[in-house]
């Protein structure tokens, strides 16, 4: 299949390399320094399943025929601009794969596609969550610091066939794929993990594995407990022992990784704090409740987070200007 990976950061580049290794024709769209490095020396994956990949890389969507699918791997704060650029480029629906952390992802994408004149509701959108650790070590160099499972919705109903094709595409990357009939719960399970790991690691500048030590452990558990409460208010009950088991399992399997939020802070970029902790605080507020630990860490990370450039396509994502050849 011809795949456009829009957002060639750590995860987009890693998944792009995995798809290329599986025989798909992958084009990456990324930030200028990443694109320059990949054009000059190829995309280098170090760590797990290391390799060098010579892939076409662009800073804006190439004015080519539509790809068979798009892996939209920009961060949640860049989603609206990236989806708008796709909606302006192609009038026909192209299946989209969404690996973002956080809440409200599909809604943001569909709205932005429709607002740009693209096919909002007609697009097959497959959200998936994963715990694959990836770090951008330098432009063009991504460390795969371990492996992880891809959790996907079990295909059912009218779009099942199209979803099945996307699941096969994901499966070709060589990670275990876990289809879930209760995918909403799976989204919450991942949100709980991110709500506990990402802000604490970003706040203290520590790799995920340090969360087993105090005081980080206590902070992560307090955030986990509040995220569990937000899930419960939303009708999803995740028992404390299960939530903790999931948290420590991800901490162990990604121990050497620096969370995506920490990587963003270190590079002076916007973070996903709003789509994670901000969303939880809003959910609790809408039920008349407060999440004090989450609110405090949200305040601290917000204070250190770069704002997306107003009016720009994306804070630091790939360029999303409308190509001339339309
Ligand atoms: O999703 C992640 C992230 O960093 O955003 C985890 C799984 C916590 C890996 O670091």
């Amino acid at each position: 299949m011809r795949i456009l990976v829009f957002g060639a950061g750590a995860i987009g580049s890693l998944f792009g390399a995995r798809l290329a290794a599986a025989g798909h024709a992958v084009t990456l769209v990324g930030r200028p320094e990443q694109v320059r490095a990949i054009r000059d020396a190829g995309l280098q994956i170090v760590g797990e399943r290391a390799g060098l990949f010579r892939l076409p890389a662009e800073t804006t969507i190439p004015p080519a025929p539509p790809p068979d699918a798009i892996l939209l791997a920009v961060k949640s704060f860049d989603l609206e601009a990236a989806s708008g650029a796709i909606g302006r480029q192609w009038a026909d629906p192209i299946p989209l794969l969404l690996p973002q952390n956080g809440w409200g992802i599909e809604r943001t994408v569909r709205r932005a596609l429709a607002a740009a004149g693209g096919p909002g509701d007609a697009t097959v959108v497959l959200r998936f969550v994963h715990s694959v650790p990836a770090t951008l070590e330098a432009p063009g160099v991504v460390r795969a610091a371990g492996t992880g499972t891809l959790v996907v919705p079990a295909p059912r109903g009218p779009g099942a066939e199209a979803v099945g094709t996307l699941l096969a595409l994901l499966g070709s990357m060589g990670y275990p794929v876990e289809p879930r009939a209760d995918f909403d719960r799976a989204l919450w399970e991942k949100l709980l993990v991110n709500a506990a790991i990402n802000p604490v690691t970003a706040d203290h500048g520590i790799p995920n594995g340090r969360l087993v030590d105090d005081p980080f452990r206590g902070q992560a558990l307090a955030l986990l407990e509040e995220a569990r409460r937000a899930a419960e208010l939303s009708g999803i009950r995740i028992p404390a022992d299960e939530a903790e088991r999931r948290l420590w399992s991800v901490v162990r399997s990604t121990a050497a990784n620096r969370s995506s939020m920490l990587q963003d802070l270190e590079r002076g970029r916007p973070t996903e704090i709003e789509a994670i902790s901000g969303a939880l605080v809003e959910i609790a507020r809408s039920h008349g409740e407060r999440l004090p630990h989450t609110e405090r860490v949200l305040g601290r990370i917000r204070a250190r987070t770069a704002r997306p450039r107003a009016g720009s396509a994306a804070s630091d994502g790939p360029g999303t200007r409308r190509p001339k050849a339309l």
Side-chain angles (χ1 to χ4, degrees):
M1 289 173 78
R2 282 171 307 114
I3 313 296
L4 185 76
V5 177
F6 193 163
I11 275 294
S13 298
L14 177 61
F15 285 172
R18 300 301 188 226
L19 289 167
H24 299 290
V26 174
T27 299
L28 302 172
V29 179
R31 284 174 290 111
E33 66 271 26
Q34 177 77 342
V35 166
R36 214 174 302 121
I38 293 171
R39 282 181 179 169
D40 287 351
L43 168 63
Q44 202 187 339
I45 305 296
V46 296
E48 197 240 356
R49 289 191 274 155
L52 182 66
F53 297 84
R54 299 272 173 195
L55 301 178
E58 305 286 344
T59 55
T60 55
I61 303 178
D68 299 315
I70 299 175
L71 173 64
L72 185 45
V74 299
K75 293 283 178 62
S76 54
F77 46 81
D78 277 337
L79 258 187
E80 202 175 329
S83 310
I86 292 167
R88 285 191 298 276
Q89 173 87 322
W90 290 299
D92 290 333
I94 300 169
L96 292 178
L97 290 156
L98 305 174
Q100 285 74 21
N101 288 324
W103 202 242
I105 301 298
E106 297 96 320
R107 201 181 45 228
T108 304
V109 169
R110 286 195 192 282
R111 271 197 199 147
L113 279 176
D121 284 343
T123 301
V124 176
V125 168
L126 183 74
R127 174 100 196 263
F128 66 101
V129 286
H130 68 89
S131 50
V132 177
T135 306
L136 194 58
E137 288 204 331
V141 184
V142 175
R143 174 163 296 279
T147 187
T149 300
L150 313 182
V151 180
V152 298
R156 62 176 169 200
E161 200 179 317
V163 169
T165 308
L166 293 180
L167 294 187
L169 181 65
L170 287 181
S172 73
M173 295 200 292
Y175 299 103
V177 177
E178 185 190 334
R180 291 272 301 263
D182 59 345
F183 187 66
D184 277 356
R185 189 181 199 275
L187 286 179
W188 272 104
E189 291 163 6
K190 177 71 192 330
L191 187 56
L192 260 57
V193 165
N194 286 126
I197 294 183
N198 295 30
V200 182
T201 51
D203 204 12
H204 296 284
I206 51 169
N208 296 356
R210 289 290 310 282
L211 288 175
V212 298
D213 300 328
D214 274 326
F216 315 125
R217 179 187 165 83
Q219 290 170 9
L221 287 175
L223 294 178
L224 185 70
E225 193 47 34
E226 291 187 351
R228 235 169 46 76
R229 179 65 187 144
E232 198 166 28
L233 290 169
S234 307
I236 304 284
R237 221 187 81 69
I238 301 180
D241 57 341
E242 180 193 332
E244 282 190 38
R245 195 169 18 85
R246 289 185 184 281
L247 170 65
W248 299 126
S249 154
V250 175
V251 165
R252 268 196 308 277
S253 67
T254 65
N257 197 55
R258 297 171 90 70
S259 73
S260 54
M261 194 174 287
L262 173 56
Q263 292 184 50
D264 286 335
L265 268 194
E266 287 176 335
R267 294 200 172 88
R269 296 196 200 144
T271 69
E272 295 190 313
I273 194 71
E274 301 301 335
I276 299 174
S277 310
L280 295 174
V281 165
E282 277 315 307
I283 289 169
R285 276 213 185 118
S286 70
H287 288 85
E289 291 197 16
R290 305 286 302 263
L291 304 178
H293 294 280
T294 309
E295 286 176 31
R296 276 199 293 277
V297 84
L298 173 64
R300 284 200 297 276
I301 303 290
R302 258 184 195 158
R304 295 168 56 196
T305 292
R307 289 187 192 291
R309 282 197 303 269
S312 83
S315 54
D316 61 352
T320 49
R321 75 183 152 74
R322 185 182 178 129
K324 285 193 189 83
L326 262 185

